[in-house]
């Protein structure tokens, strides 16, 4: 069964090294541009349910500004405590200037 893809944004609104909130009704998802590759992750830190949008993207890692947990945007895996539960990741496809994610 194939996944349903939803338009999540435009390539021209997310520069390399940037995080952008995806406009998906009922979902809290971040788009991350790592060296021109787009990744989609859950927005909320798995440690304290705090928005990672308020954190920083450094290479392929996003840091939570509340307690310093770090996650890989490629895999969702925590890289630094206190978080120990991975973030949900979403498949991404690009069509022209549009970013689509499977939700």
């Amino acid at each position: 069964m194939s996944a349903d893809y939803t338009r999540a944004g435009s390539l021209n609104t997310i520069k390399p090294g940037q995080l952008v909130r995806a406009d998906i009704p009922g979902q809290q998802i971040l788009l991350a541009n790592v060296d021109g590759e787009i990744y989609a992750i859950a927005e909320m830190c798995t440690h304290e349910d705090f928005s990672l949008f308020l954190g920083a993207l450094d290479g392929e890692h996003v840091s939570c500004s509340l307690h310093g947990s770090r996650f890989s945007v490629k895999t969702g895996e925590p890289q630094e405590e206190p978080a120990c539960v991975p973030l949900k990741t979403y498949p991404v496809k690009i069509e022209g200037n549009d970013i689509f994610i499977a939700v």
Side-chain angles (χ1 to χ4, degrees):
M1 178 180 252
S2 67
D4 289 329
Y5 280 82
T6 301
R7 187 179 181 283
S10 300
L11 283 175
N12 61 353
T13 63
I14 180 170
K15 295 177 176 61
Q18 252 186 342
L19 290 170
V20 173
R21 283 187 175 118
D23 188 19
I24 307 293
Q27 302 279 334
Q28 295 178 312
I29 298 172
L30 288 180
L31 301 175
N33 185 331
V34 178
D35 298 326
E37 290 289 322
I38 305 299
Y39 298 92
I41 57 170
E43 179 181 350
M44 304 307 275
C45 179
T46 59
H47 172 245
E48 284 285 333
D49 220 20
F50 192 76
S51 176
L52 293 171
F53 183 69
L54 303 172
L57 183 63
D58 182 20
E60 75 171 78
H61 299 102
V62 61
S63 298
C64 180
S65 63
L66 186 61
H67 292 122
S69 295
R70 286 181 350 125
F71 300 88
S72 167
V73 298
K74 293 181 179 182
T75 66
E77 290 296 320
Q79 306 296 303
E80 195 166 317
E81 296 182 339
C84 58
V85 176
L87 294 172
K88 181 170 177 54
T89 60
Y90 301 87
V92 174
K93 72 177 181 179
I94 307 297
E95 292 182 359
N97 189 48
D98 294 320
I99 302 167
F100 292 88
I101 59 174
V103 290

